[in-house]
Amino acid sequence: MKSEVLIIGAGLTGLLLAYRLKGHNISFKIIEARSRIGGRIHTVLTNDETPIEMGATWIGIQHQELLKVLEELKLPVFEQFIKGTALFESLSTAPPQHIHLPPNQQPSYRIQGGTIALLNTLASSLTKEELILNEKVTSINYTKNQFEINTTNHNYHAHKVVSTLPPKLLVNTIHFNPSLPKNTLKIANNTHTWMGDAIKFGIAYKRPFWKENKFSGTVFSNVGPITELYDHSNHRNTKYALKGFLQNEMYLETKKNRKSKVIHQLQKLFGDAALEYSQYKEEIWRQESNTFNDSEHFIFPHQNNGHPIYQKDFFDNTLFIAGAETATQFGGYMEGAVKSAQSIYQKLKE
């Protein structure tokens, strides 16, 4: 199975790159290990179809390239709700502080229908031959402007390869022949994977009790297990949820214990109305083998994101390391993923 370009990973970088290549009539295939598209963009639905973002969520006005893509695809955004009182827990022995937030001077936005709407729109024009799910790339062999890419199911051939995997995951899960340069391996193994150690959760409700009581739904806590919390109602304000982050070490707990501690903290913050939830969802990204690769040493957030090594091409300018972490600006974020796709597209088009 041959193509001009083979893209590894069907996240935002991979799908936007494929969308651009298709518009330029350059043949390609995307190989995705998961059974779904999106990577760290992962919108889940509760039983009553409340969308909850387990991955990338917010867009700022500084994310100009992403906003241009959304405008091109005619995907509207809406402003993150923060109106009302926010809560700050500084100590477990003290009641939370009530903080009245001023009008949002630099609002954050969310995509109507969930962040996955962006990925679904990009993927909608791709055929089953172009977008291949449930296949994990295991090795890449290069000889004279030709790649053989081996997966768990098939062998593929391409003239150029673009990896959109987090660099640390790339170099630890795919065998290269010949090997990548030692310095590249060193940098990749010390590159932070954004959201890789995060735990996100969402909890849906039949009514927005926090809004009814003049709360914004925004919480910051030094106590935990919830560290940050935000309103996560849909753009029509007909589906209601709270969404936030848990302390990283909570991955050591069972899901039952995590849920119990979350509900207890919400009850302490908002009262008994917090007990009347309809569904609890969570995502422990460090347990996602197609996202996270553990390290024996601490890697700082955004460490080596946008490193000059990722701006280089390998194997006679035929292998490209792309993805959010490789972008020279907004590394790890959706804006970085878009910028990476645009950069690689220009190289392939030339």
Side-chain angles (χ1 to χ4, degrees), residues 249-260:
E249 60 269 23
M250 286 297 293
Y251 82 92
L252 297 169
E253 299 272 0
T254 64
K255 181 178 180 178
K256 181 180 179 180
N257 286 347
R258 278 191 300 273
K259 178 180 173 182
S260 176

Side-chain angles (χ1 to χ4, degrees), residues 1 18 34-35 54 65 70 72 75 84 87-88 90 97 108 112 127 151 166 185 199 229 246 255 274 287 327:
M1 289 180 275
R34 292 182 174 92
S35 60
M54 294 287 101
E65 297 306 314
L70 292 173
E72 175 188 347
L75 293 172
L87 299 175
F88 174 56
S90 58
Q97 300 175 41
S108 295
Q112 292 187 18
T127 67
T151 74
L185 297 175
I199 304 175
L229 188 73
L246 302 182
K255 181 178 180 178
Q287 294 178 354

Side-chain angles (χ1 to χ4, degrees), residues 181-201:
K182 288 184 179 180
N183 189 43
T184 302
L185 297 175
K186 180 180 178 181
I187 295 300
N189 274 306
N190 287 279
T191 296
H192 183 255
T193 299
W194 189 243
M195 214 184 323
D197 47 6
I199 304 175
K200 282 197 167 186
F201 79 97

Side-chain angles (χ1 to χ4, degrees), residues 48-331:
D48 64 354
E49 297 191 344
T50 302
I52 298 179
E53 304 294 352
M54 294 287 101
T57 303
W58 293 286
I59 303 162
I61 57 173
Q62 70 274 27
H63 300 150
Q64 286 295 305
E65 297 306 314
L66 175 56
L67 288 170
K68 289 176 185 176
V69 171
L70 292 173
E71 184 178 3
E72 175 188 347
L73 300 176
K74 296 180 172 56
L75 293 172
V77 299
F78 67 106
E79 188 172 331
Q80 171 69 39
F81 178 84
I82 66 162
K83 184 179 179 181
T85 301
L87 299 175
F88 174 56
E89 279 191 306
S90 58
L91 298 168
S92 60
T93 54
Q97 300 175 41
H98 288 222
I99 303 168
H100 187 72
L101 296 174
N104 200 345
Q105 299 300 316
Q106 287 193 325
S108 295
Y109 298 92
R110 289 157 52 199
I111 300 172
Q112 292 187 18
T115 318
I116 195 61
L118 170 57
L119 281 297
N120 286 337
T121 302
L122 291 171
S124 62
S125 65
L126 305 185
T127 67
K128 291 182 179 180
E129 288 72 32
E130 291 169 333
L131 175 57
I132 301 160
L133 303 178
N134 295 305
E135 287 203 32
K136 187 172 184 177
V137 175
T138 56
S139 65
I140 296 175
N141 302 307
Y142 174 73
T143 53
K144 293 183 180 179
N145 297 318
Q146 180 73 29
F147 286 97
E148 179 187 19
I149 303 98
N150 300 305
T151 74
T152 45
N153 300 326
H154 296 102
N155 294 337
Y156 298 88
H157 293 87
H159 294 296
K160 296 181 180 180
V161 171
V162 181
S163 169
T164 69
L165 306 184
K168 193 172 190 304
L169 184 72
L170 169 69
V171 301
N172 285 283
T173 59
I174 297 178
H175 175 76
F176 283 87
N177 182 30
S179 297
L180 290 171
K182 288 184 179 180
N183 189 43
T184 302
L185 297 175
K186 180 180 178 181
I187 295 300
N189 274 306
N190 287 279
T191 296
H192 183 255
T193 299
W194 189 243
M195 214 184 323
D197 47 6
I199 304 175
K200 282 197 167 186
F201 79 97
I203 185 161
Y205 290 92
K206 296 296 184 184
R207 63 183 184 88
F209 62 83
W210 56 97
K211 294 181 181 180
E212 295 170 0
N213 294 306
K214 309 300 183 184
F215 288 104
S216 65
T218 305
V219 174
F220 295 97
S221 175
N222 294 334
V223 178
I226 301 170
T227 58
E228 297 178 33
L229 188 73
Y230 304 94
D231 175 87
H232 207 62
S233 305
N234 68 350
H235 71 281
R236 293 191 182 93
N237 200 34
T238 56
K239 303 288 185 180
Y240 312 109
L242 294 167
K243 195 278 289 281
F245 297 82
L246 302 182
Q247 293 166 328
N248 291 352
E249 60 269 23
M250 286 297 293
Y251 82 92
L252 297 169
E253 299 272 0
T254 64
K255 181 178 180 178
K256 181 180 179 180
N257 286 347
R258 278 191 300 273
K259 178 180 173 182
S260 176
K261 291 181 178 182
V262 165
I263 300 301
H264 176 74
Q265 187 177 359
L266 290 174
Q267 182 187 21
K268 183 176 68 170
L269 291 168
F270 294 111
D272 289 347
L275 301 176
E276 300 173 10
Y277 64 94
S278 58
Q279 198 167 2
Y280 171 88
K281 294 280 190 178
E282 68 175 20
E283 183 73 45
I284 304 174
W285 283 99
R286 67 164 47 245
Q287 294 178 354
E288 281 280 324
S289 62
N290 295 312
T291 294
F292 186 76
N293 187 271
D294 205 358
S295 179
E296 295 180 355
H297 56 277
F298 180 74
I299 300 177
F300 289 96
H302 296 297
Q303 183 172 324
N304 286 321
N305 284 184
H307 193 281
I309 203 84
Y310 300 130
Q311 316 318 313
K312 298 180 179 179
D313 311 326
F314 301 87
F315 301 149
D316 304 316
N317 303 318
T318 56
L319 172 70
F320 307 88
I321 300 179
E325 278 74 22
T326 70
T328 56
Q329 294 177 298
F330 301 99

